[in-house]
Each structure stands twice: as structure tokens, then as C-alpha cells.
């Protein structure tokens, strides 16, 4: 029994063909050269992979969860870096769809849908990942500004993303602790440094950001 409609079946086949034709033949070379897969990211944009969680009204082509899973499987079959490059992006797109203001949706979703800007989520810190409540990054109001202090690590695509959904404490004294945690939308600019790319096997799109 197939869970996918005809369009979704075609999409999965398109991704499968892309992986077999374009990625598989040279993936080891790209992995060992530690290159950013610019060409493949462009091809993923053309296929529409970055808009799979964005509503049509914002320029996306949303698909069912089984279809999304199969697209992810196909990308990861070729190279885990490619599934990583769209995974965090899709989480942030979904976050905006569910919880964003109209202004945030209008500003980001159309460009996320095409992949013109790619998004990343920044949760993990050098002090640990699973226990998010123990994070030390803070965002404090200073007039109209929000001053963010802290460091994150293992942030997939940090260097190349145009939008970072940053998890931080807006009320470090809150009890329970998770009540004082917020997601802040951050763009690259003065004060944000991506310090280095982490050497990892099969997932060379992770960076450190602080
Ligand atoms: C390739 C890659 C890409 C990543 N991309 C991102 C990203 O884009 N954004 C981001 O924010 N993070 C990213 N991460 C970080 C990832 O989310 C963290 O590695 C993960 O949350 C685990 O955190 P940790 O490595 O600090 O391990 P720890 O939290 O220190 O855990 C270590 C071990 O202890 C276990 N453990 C922890 N707490 C408990 C408990 N209470 N009870 C029992 N066992 C426990 C864990 O299961 C694990 O086996 C990435 C990691 C990798 C490897």
C-alpha cells in the first residue's frame, strides 16, 4: 500500500534519480575534499526541497509526512550532509508556520520556500545538548534591543544559513526552567561569529557559532 499521492511519488523518484545521477558518483570526493556542496544545494532548490513544509500561499509545496520522510531518506542515502542541510531548515520553517507572527511569516517563508535563504536551529551548547534547560545563552532586553550572550555548537549549516532560530533564556530565574526559554530569530551580522567547522564523518555541514 502506498501512502503517497502521484505528485509525491514523482517527487521521491526525482530525488532518488538526483542522488543516483549527481551525488553518488562523486560523494566520496566531496566528503574528503571538505567542500560545501554548493551545486547540489542549488539542485535541491530547483527540485523544491526547501519548500516542503511551507504553505502554498507563501510559495511552498507542502507534502505529507510519509513523503517528507522518504525525501529525507533518499537524501541521506546519498550523503547525510544533504539531509542535514534540509532537516534543520524544515524545522525552522515549520516553527514559523505554527508560531510565527504574520510579519515574520511574510518576511521569511517565501524566501525559505525557494531556498534563497536557508534556516538553521541553534540549540546545543558546548556544555551539553540533551539537557536544554541547562543552557547558559541569554537574551536580555536593552531598550528596543535584545542583547544575546553565549555560544552554541554543532549547528548544522550555521555558516551558510540566512536565518538562525536560536534557543536562549529570556528569564534565567524562571521556575520551572523551561518557562524562561524562548526562540529568537537571528540573522548574521556584527556580534555573531561562526568560529570553525567541525570535522565529522559524513556530516560536514556542521559548524560552531558563538
Ligand atoms: C552531525 C550533527 C549535527 C547536529 N546539528 C545540530 C543542529 O543543527 N542544531 C543543534 O542545536 N544541535 C545539533 N547537533 C547537536 C545534537 O543535537 C546534540 O549532539 C544532542 O542534543 C546531544 O547532546 P550532546 O552531544 O551534548 O550529548 P549529551 O546531552 O551530553 O548526552 C550524552 C549521552 O548521554 C545520554 N543522556 C543525556 N541525558 C540523559 C538522561 N537524562 N538520561 C539518560 N541518558 C542521558 C544521551 O542520550 C547521550 O547518549 C548536532 C549533532 C551532530 C552530531
Amino acid at each position: 500500500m502506498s501512502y503517497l499521492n502521484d505528485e509525491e511519488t514523482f517527487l521521491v523518484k526525482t530525488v532518488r534519480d538526483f542522488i543516483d545521477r549527481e551525488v553518488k558518483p562523486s560523494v566520496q570526493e566531496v566528503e574528503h575534499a571538505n567542500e560545501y556542496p554548493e551545486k547540489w544545494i542549488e539542485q535541491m532548490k530547483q527540485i523544491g526541497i526547501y519548500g516542503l513544509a511551507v504553505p502554498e500561499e507563501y510559495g511552498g509545496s507542502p507534502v505529507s509526512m510519509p513523503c517528507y520522510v522518504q525525501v529525507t531518506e533518499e537524501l541521506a542515502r546519498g550523503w547525510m550532509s544533504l539531509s542535514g542541510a534540509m532537516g534543520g531548515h524544515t524545522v525552522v520553517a515549520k516553527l514559523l508556520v505554527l508560531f510565527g507572527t504574520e510579519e515574520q511569516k511574510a518576511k521569511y517563508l517565501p524566501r525559505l520556500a525557494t531556498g534563497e535563504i536557508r534556516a538553521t536551529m541553534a540549540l546545543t551548547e558546548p556544555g551539553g545538548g540533551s539537557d536544554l534547560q541547562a543552557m547558559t545563552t541569554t537574551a536580555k532586553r536593552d531598550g528596543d534591543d535584545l542583547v544575546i550572550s553565549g555560544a552554541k555548537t554543532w549547528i548544522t549549516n550555521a555558516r551558510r544559513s540566512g536565518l538562525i532560530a536560536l534557543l536562549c533564556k529570556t528569564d534565567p530565574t524562571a521556575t520551572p526552567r523551561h518557562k524562561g526559554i524562548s526562540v529568537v530569530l537571528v540573522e548574521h551580522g556584527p556580534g555573531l561569529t561562526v568560529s570553525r567547522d567541525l570535522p565529522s564523518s559524513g556530516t560536514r555541514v556542521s559548524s560552531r557559532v558563538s
Side-chain angles (χ1 to χ4, degrees), residues 11-175:
L11 172 67
V12 173
K13 183 182 178 313
T14 303
V15 179
R16 186 177 304 131
D17 291 347
F18 157 66
I19 292 298
D20 286 335
R21 194 182 55 245
E22 304 286 336
V23 178
K24 281 278 189 189
S26 54
V27 65
Q28 289 221 3
E29 227 170 89
V30 176
E31 160 86 6
H32 291 295
N34 205 8
E35 285 171 17
Y36 189 78
E38 204 78 66
K39 185 177 149 206
W40 294 339
I41 298 289
E42 284 307 313
Q43 289 170 306
M44 285 163 62
K45 287 184 195 172
Q46 298 305 321
I47 296 172
I49 283 172
Y50 289 100
L52 297 183
V54 177
E56 278 177 16
E57 61 185 294
Y58 294 102
S61 310
V63 295
S64 65
M65 187 57 78
C67 177
Y68 183 77
V69 169
Q70 289 189 35
V71 167
T72 307
E73 278 178 352
E74 286 301 331
L75 292 173
R77 183 174 66 82
W79 195 24
M80 211 174 107
S81 278
L82 299 182
S83 55
M86 63 88 88
H89 172 93
T90 306
V91 172
V92 177
K94 196 84 188 164
L95 194 75
L96 276 168
V97 171
L98 293 175
F99 303 109
T101 63
E102 271 316 313
E103 194 187 343
Q104 289 167 338
K105 289 180 192 177
K107 181 173 180 189
Y108 292 115
L109 286 178
R111 288 185 293 153
L112 289 177
T114 58
E116 178 194 336
I117 55 169
R118 269 105 59 216
T120 192
M121 51 180 190
L123 286 57
T124 307
E125 301 195 348
S130 305
D131 185 7
L132 287 172
Q133 294 191 106
M135 81 176 71
T136 58
T137 297
T138 56
K140 286 191 187 149
R141 278 206 178 282
D142 179 10
D144 287 341
D145 295 329
L146 205 52
V147 179
I148 298 169
S149 312
K152 298 284 179 182
T153 190
W154 280 113
I155 309 308
T156 302
N157 235 11
R159 197 177 291 286
R160 306 287 181 138
S161 70
L163 176 66
I164 301 172
L166 185 90
L167 204 69
C168 49
K169 288 205 168 167
T170 37
D171 181 2
T173 59
T175 42

